């Protein structure tokens, strides 16, 4: 018995040409897109293409560290420009406080101080009051304390004043047996330095950890960001904000599991949108009906579109939805305490809060305070600081998901390493000329 011709050659025969061409073309384009994502997203820790073995390699921070070291050599040899010898002006607007604890096998303080100061103009240096706290009951235990550059460059080398702190208690916290060393002494040091900056009566206080590198031009970028923060705070109808963040790591800014309903909704809308657009085209232009049968529309909406959505998420949030340059709110996931700027008016509130807690990590306590009081927290993008410390004063335990790195080493701003030394120098020069 012969079967009808229409059964021998079903409608799907149409797909032999158009279906295969569409699949082939999409496959080629999709392969190119995957290669683009791999080349573009290897520094993005939120991406499936993140290359851990390369992404943590320092680039610009090494160059900036060399500039900082060369600057310190000039300080030791007394060959600095005059404005670094006269130091601060009579009316600075920013106090920069750095707390430093000696770490066995590492000395980060010179990189922090050198990079904060190197390249500053006379006006910028005069606008800045630098305090370095040597956080030891016996300051000679810190290798930098006996080095000439520290006393040459800092406006004040802060030591423990027996009239202000319980030095005997500090000694107890310095012992190996003091398990709460980081949580209690670290907070005590932070409070002590905040108060020292508060007494200078500057408009803002920049609190830095000693294992950071500041990029060339960090100061004018921070000043501009502070102006924007003040302006945006007023525009939001409030009269105060808590801090401006100068450093954050992108690894906590990825696709958040608690937002999966929104991701699912937009993905469904994208697929339905493809169906709607294809159907509308077929309806408005009947000539396209032969090219847009239901099978093709289903392929576009429920195979190709999901594959593109998967690639979108795999490429990483930092790559696909990058944070624009400037000042923006960062109420969540803003790790860590490497560089925070506080308005003078907020220091008293924070000190009282820290003292009420007695012990704890500064970054966590600050976020708890901000959450409980509905405080605005600003962040500067791109980051003007890099965390370079591999030996933390808190912990050096290996990370759960980065077995070859310590927890401290994973605190890293990946975009910082893309900075161009010459471009930053030109930007800094242009900014200085514009202010003359």
């Amino acid at each position: 018995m012969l079967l009808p011709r229409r059964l021998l050659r079903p409608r799907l025969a149409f797909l032999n040409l158009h279906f295969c061409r569409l699949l082939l073309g999409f496959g080629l384009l999709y392969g190119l897109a995957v290669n683009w994502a791999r080349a573009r997203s290897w520094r993005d820790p939120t991406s499936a293409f993140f290359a851990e073995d390369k992404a943590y390699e320092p680039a610009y921070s090494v160059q900036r560290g060399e500039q900082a070291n060369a600057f310190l050599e000039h300080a030791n040899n007394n060959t600095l420009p005059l404005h670094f010898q006269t130091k601060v002006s009579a009316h600075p607007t920013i106090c920069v406080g750095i707390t430093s604890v000696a770490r066995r096998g590492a000395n980060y303080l010179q990189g922090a101080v050198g990079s904060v100061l190197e390249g500053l103009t006379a006006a910028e240096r005069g606008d800045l009051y630098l305090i370095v706290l040597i956080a030891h009951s016996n300051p000679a235990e810190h290798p930098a304390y006996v080095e000439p550059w520290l006393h040459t460059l800092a406006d004040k080398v802060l030591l423990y004043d027996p009239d202000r702190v319980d030095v005997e208690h500090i000694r107890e916290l310095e012992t190996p047996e003091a398990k709460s060393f980081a949580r209690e002494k670290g907070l005590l040091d932070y409070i002590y330095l905040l108060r020292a900056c508060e007494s200078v009566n500057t408009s803002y206080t920049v609190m830095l950890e000693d294992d950071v590198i500041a990029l060339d031009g960090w100061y004018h970028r921070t000043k501009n960001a502070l102006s924007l923060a003040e302006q945006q705070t007023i525009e939001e109808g409030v009269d105060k904000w808590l801090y401006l963040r100068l450093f954050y790591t992108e690894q906590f800014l990825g696709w958040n599991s608690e937002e999966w309903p929104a991701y699912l909704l937009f993905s469904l809308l994208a697929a339905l949108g493809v169906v709607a657009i294809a159907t509308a085209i077929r309806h408005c232009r009947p000539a396209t009906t032969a090219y847009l049968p239901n099978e093709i529309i289903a392929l576009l909406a429920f195979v190709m579109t999901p594959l593109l959505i998967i690639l979108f998420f795999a490429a990483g949030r930092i790559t696909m939805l990058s944070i624009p340059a400037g000042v923006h709110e960062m109420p969540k996931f803003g790790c860590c305490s490497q560089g925070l700027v506080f308005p003078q008016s907020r220091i008293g509130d924070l000190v009282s809060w820290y003292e009420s807690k007695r012990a704890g990590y500064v970054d966590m306590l600050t976020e708890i305070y901000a959450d409980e009081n509905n405080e605005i927290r600003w962040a500067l993008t791109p980051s003007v600081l890099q965390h370079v410390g591999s030996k933390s004063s808190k912990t050096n335990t290996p990370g759960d998901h980065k077995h070859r790195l310590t927890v401290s080493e994973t605190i890293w701003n990946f975009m910082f390493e893309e900075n161009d030394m010459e471009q930053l120098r030109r930007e800094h020069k242009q900014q200085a000329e514009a202010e003359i």
Side-chain angles (χ1 to χ4, degrees), residues 90-354:
H91 302 287
T93 61
I94 290 183
C95 176
V96 176
I98 304 176
T99 300
S100 187
V101 177
R103 297 168 174 84
R104 181 176 299 176
N107 191 357
Y108 302 116
L109 181 60
Q110 57 264 52
V113 173
S115 61
V116 162
L117 296 177
E118 196 279 333
L120 293 184
T121 65
E124 290 171 334
R125 180 61 187 95
D127 199 38
L128 179 156
Y129 191 96
L130 176 62
I131 303 177
V132 178
L133 169 60
I134 301 299
H136 290 269
S137 57
N138 177 13
E141 293 180 6
H142 198 298
Y145 183 68
V146 296
E147 296 180 4
W149 63 263
L150 176 62
H151 304 274
T152 299
L153 296 174
D155 295 293
K156 183 174 185 178
V157 177
L158 184 63
L159 306 178
Y160 292 126
D161 183 348
D163 296 330
R164 294 179 178 272
V165 297
D166 185 347
V167 180
E168 187 59 37
H169 184 52
I170 294 293
R171 291 194 183 97
E172 294 173 357
L173 294 176
E174 289 174 335
T175 61
E177 295 78 17
K179 296 181 180 180
S180 61
F181 171 83
R183 297 183 69 252
E184 184 176 354
K185 184 176 180 297
L187 186 61
L188 288 173
D189 293 340
Y190 208 80
I191 292 171
Y192 188 56
L193 185 55
L194 266 177
R195 283 177 166 168
C197 269
E198 183 183 29
S199 67
V200 180
N201 200 31
T202 55
S203 300
Y204 303 98
T205 290
V206 179
M207 294 290 286
L208 303 179
E209 294 194 1
D210 67 344
D211 54 355
V212 300
I213 290 288
L215 62 74
D216 184 6
W218 77 271
Y219 193 74
H220 74 257
R221 287 194 184 185
T222 300
K223 289 292 292 287
N224 293 338
L226 290 170
S227 297
L228 287 173
E230 297 286 2
Q231 179 182 343
Q232 291 178 212
T233 301
I234 294 173
E235 291 175 356
E236 293 195 8
V238 294
D239 59 354
K240 61 183 180 179
W241 49 275
L242 186 61
Y243 66 67
L244 170 68
R245 181 179 294 281
L246 302 182
F247 169 87
Y248 59 86
T249 177
E250 301 98 328
Q251 64 178 307
F252 301 124
L253 301 177
W255 308 110
N256 303 312
S257 58
E258 59 267 29
E259 296 179 9
W260 72 264
Y263 302 150
L264 178 60
L265 174 62
F266 285 116
S267 298
L268 291 174
L269 289 176
L272 293 175
V274 170
V275 173
I277 292 172
T279 304
I281 292 174
R282 190 171 64 179
H283 176 75
C284 296
R285 293 184 176 271
T288 63
T289 300
Y291 300 96
L292 288 174
N294 292 337
E295 292 85 357
I296 293 291
I297 294 177
L299 177 68
L300 291 171
F302 304 116
V303 177
M304 295 182 179
T305 298
L307 285 174
L308 291 173
I309 292 172
I310 291 171
L311 182 58
F312 178 89
F313 283 100
R317 189 168 193 164
I318 301 300
T319 300
M320 303 308 298
L321 300 176
S322 59
I323 301 173
V327 172
H328 53 92
E329 287 193 58
M330 189 176 283
K332 294 181 179 179
F333 313 116
C335 177
C336 300
S337 60
Q338 271 66 32
L340 299 175
V341 188
F342 301 105
Q344 172 78 356
S345 59
R346 308 312 310 279
I347 293 179
D349 295 335
L350 279 170
V351 166
S352 297
W353 168 258
Y354 294 148

Side-chain angles (χ1 to χ4, degrees), residues 21 35 51 69 198 246 254-255 282 286 301 399 412 420:
R21 283 180 177 177
N35 286 329
N69 290 334
E198 183 183 29
L246 302 182
W255 308 110
R282 190 171 64 179
W412 190 254
D420 180 84

Side-chain angles (χ1 to χ4, degrees), residues 397-415:
T397 56
D400 293 335
H401 60 291
K402 297 181 177 64
H403 302 291
R404 293 175 294 171
L405 299 172
T406 65
V407 170
S408 183
E409 287 172 320
T410 63
I411 302 174
W412 190 254
N413 185 276
F414 298 90
M415 297 302 108

